[in-house]
Structures are given as C-alpha cells and as structure tokens.
Amino acid sequence: METVANPTYIKRKRNGRISIKAGSKSERVIRLTMMLLFVLTVTAFLLFDYTGLELWTAIVETGQNLKVMFFEPALNHFTWAEAFYQVGVTLGLAVLSTIIGAVIAFFLALMAATNLSKEWVTKVVRVIVAFIRAVPTVLWVLIFAIAAGLGSEAAVLGMLFHSIAYLVKAFSEAFEEVDKGILEALRATGSSWWHVVIHGIMPSTFTYILSWTFLRFEINFAVAVAMGAAAGAGGIGFELFMASGFYFDLSEVGFITYAILIIAIILEVFSTQLKNRYFPSSVQN
C-alpha cells in the first residue's frame, strides 16, 4: 500500500522503509499562520493615516496613468537601434554572469556533493555558499560597487557571486541523486576520481545542469534589469529608470515594460522547449 485512507497522515518510503507522519499539526500551524497574516493585514489598513486622501481622484488618475503606459507605448528619448542595443547589454550581463558562474559552480559542487568529497570539505563549501545565498544579489552588487565603482563590473560580480552559490546547491543535489551502484561499479574497476566524475556523474546529470543553468539565466536577466537602475549597470533597466524617475515619460515606461515582457516570454518558451527535449517524461507527468 502506497497510500492511506486517513488524510491527516502522510506515508513516505525511504531506504525500503515506510513511515507514517501526522499531518494535522502542520495543517493547524498553516491555518493559524494564515489567520495571523489576515488579522495583521486588516489591522495595518485600519491604522493607515488617510488624512488628505482623495480616493476617487487617486483611482481616476491611476487609471489614466495605466492607460497611457500600456495603451500608448512609444519611444521618445532614444531610438529603436538604441533600444535593441540596451536590451543586448542587459542580456550580455545575464549571459556573462550565468556562464562564468555555472563553470565555477560545477567544480565547487563536486566538492559539495557528499558522494564525491570528504565530509569536512562538503560542510565547509555548503556553509560558505549558504551564507552567500542568504545575502540578496543587490547587496552583493553594492558591496562590489565599493571596490569596482557603480557600473556593469559591479553588477556582473554581484550576480556572479550569487549565481555561484545558487548553482552549487542545485548541482550538488543533482550529483547526490546519481545511482550509487554506478559510482561503486566505476570505483571497483579502479577508476580515478575524475574518471568517476566524467563517466559516472556527467552523463547522469548533464540535462539537470543544463536546466538549472538556464533557469539561473532567466533569474539573472530579471536581476540585470533591476541592477541597470540600482547600480548604473546600463541596459534596458537604466533606460526604464530614466524614463520613470527622470523624464516621467509613461509612454516610454510602457514601451520598455512590453520589451522586457516579450524577452521574458521568449526565454520561457525556449526553456519549455529544452524541458520538452531533455525531460519529456517530467513534462508529461
């Protein structure tokens, strides 16, 4: 039996053993958390200072701004050629930080995987990357901006730093999922550590590495847009910042927003095609 009739219990199978855990306690915690968040939200709205607020006027003006932004997009302060160039800069920042980060993360993940490295090495690498992941990307960019100055260099270094920590966790977990029998068979034949990695780890995890890398690229593209404004890294994000905060041009803000949205959709379609090609069984499920 793989399931039980009582919905308050969860059955899991690990190492050939089946264990049953009560789920009612977690359900109560979730419900209490949701109720607490609801009460805090209502309380916050009740405690707002509504002095001088003209609600109807605010709604009408917001609607007009949204109309101009999304129904009247236009380029007023730079040309189409400049727009394509700025999009290319943003994509370049994302590609550079992703590719370099994936290469470095691959070797660090080999040291972080419990089935490939010593226990103390694994713990050291995991603690370091956990600390790096805990700090938001924008803070890393600002930290590197102190040394490199505001610009594309600080943005790439900040995104690279966080990408490495992100991918080390993803890659190492994929390495640990490799069938132990394959690794033991290779070691039994006298294979060296690198031979085990090349012929045992890589064939089994290549598609996962590719998928995680492209996922990180999508994240880095979104971060590069934000860093263009926050760190002066240039690209379409900087143009969005100028259009909204300097020119107050809602039509141009709408055009740039549509451009970013179209690129995000293209990346998502490409990502789906990769999944259909390399993970057909997971897509069907």
Side-chain angles (χ1 to χ4, degrees):
M1 292 290 293
E2 292 294 333
T3 58
V4 290
N6 191 344
T8 63
Y9 290 89
I10 301 173
K11 181 173 287 188
R12 297 180 180 177
K13 185 174 183 181
R14 292 181 178 176
N15 300 326
R17 297 181 180 179
I18 298 176
S19 61
I20 299 177
K21 293 185 177 181
S24 57
K25 183 177 180 180
S26 61
E27 290 178 0
R28 288 196 299 268
V29 172
I30 293 175
R31 290 176 182 175
L32 289 174
T33 303
M34 296 300 294
M35 291 177 61
L36 179 61
L37 291 176
F38 176 77
V39 172
L40 291 176
T41 302
V42 173
T43 304
F45 276 103
L46 293 176
L47 296 178
F48 280 163
D49 184 8
Y50 295 99
T51 305
L53 175 63
E54 298 181 6
L55 185 60
W56 178 249
T57 302
I59 293 175
V60 171
E61 291 182 354
T62 301
Q64 292 175 349
N65 291 338
L66 292 176
K67 177 184 176 182
V68 174
M69 186 181 301
F70 293 108
F71 293 97
E72 301 176 9
L75 284 177
N76 299 319
H77 297 92
F78 59 103
T79 64
W80 278 87
E82 293 173 339
F84 281 112
Y85 172 77
Q86 298 297 349
V87 169
V89 170
T90 302
L91 287 172
L93 294 175
V95 169
L96 190 62
S97 57
T98 303
I99 297 300
I100 299 177
V103 172
I104 298 175
F106 174 78
F107 293 101
L108 291 177
L110 294 175
M111 294 188 289
T114 55
N115 57 348
L116 294 173
S117 184
K118 295 181 180 180
E119 183 178 357
W120 70 270
V121 176
T122 299
K123 290 182 178 180
V124 169
V125 174
R126 290 191 172 188
V127 168
I128 293 175
V129 297
F131 169 75
I132 295 174
R133 283 198 312 273
V135 179
T137 307
V138 63
L139 291 184
W140 284 120
V141 172
L142 295 178
I143 291 172
F144 283 109
I146 298 175
L150 290 174
S152 57
E153 295 84 359
V156 170
L157 289 173
M159 291 190 294
L160 174 63
F161 220 56
H162 203 274
S163 296
I164 292 173
Y166 179 94
L167 293 176
V168 165
K169 178 177 174 59
F171 291 174
S172 62
E173 290 179 351
F175 296 161
E176 292 173 351
E177 293 296 325
V178 176
D179 188 2
K180 295 181 179 179
I182 298 176
L183 303 183
E184 291 176 356
L186 288 171
R187 287 166 181 160
T189 60
S191 299
S192 64
W193 186 83
W194 276 112
H195 192 275
V196 171
V197 171
I198 295 173
H199 296 280
I201 297 296
M202 287 298 296
S204 302
T205 60
F206 176 75
T207 51
Y208 292 94
I209 293 174
L210 183 64
S211 179
W212 280 111
T213 302
F214 194 84
L215 176 62
R216 184 63 204 188
F217 171 67
E218 292 180 352
I219 296 173
N220 282 342
F221 173 74
V223 173
V225 173
M227 292 303 98
I236 198 67
F238 180 75
E239 297 297 340
L240 179 62
F241 168 74
M242 293 296 292
S244 60
F246 189 77
Y247 300 123
F248 302 104
D249 191 335
L250 295 179
S251 296
E252 197 162 81
V253 170
F255 179 90
I256 297 173
T257 302
Y258 278 127
I260 296 172
L261 179 61
I262 291 172
I263 296 172
I265 292 174
I266 293 174
L267 293 177
E268 182 62 29
V269 170
F270 187 67
S271 176
T272 302
Q273 294 297 321
L274 284 178
K275 292 177 182 178
N276 290 334
R277 180 175 180 180
Y278 293 107
F279 302 96
S281 59
S282 63
V283 172
Q284 291 175 1
N285 293 333

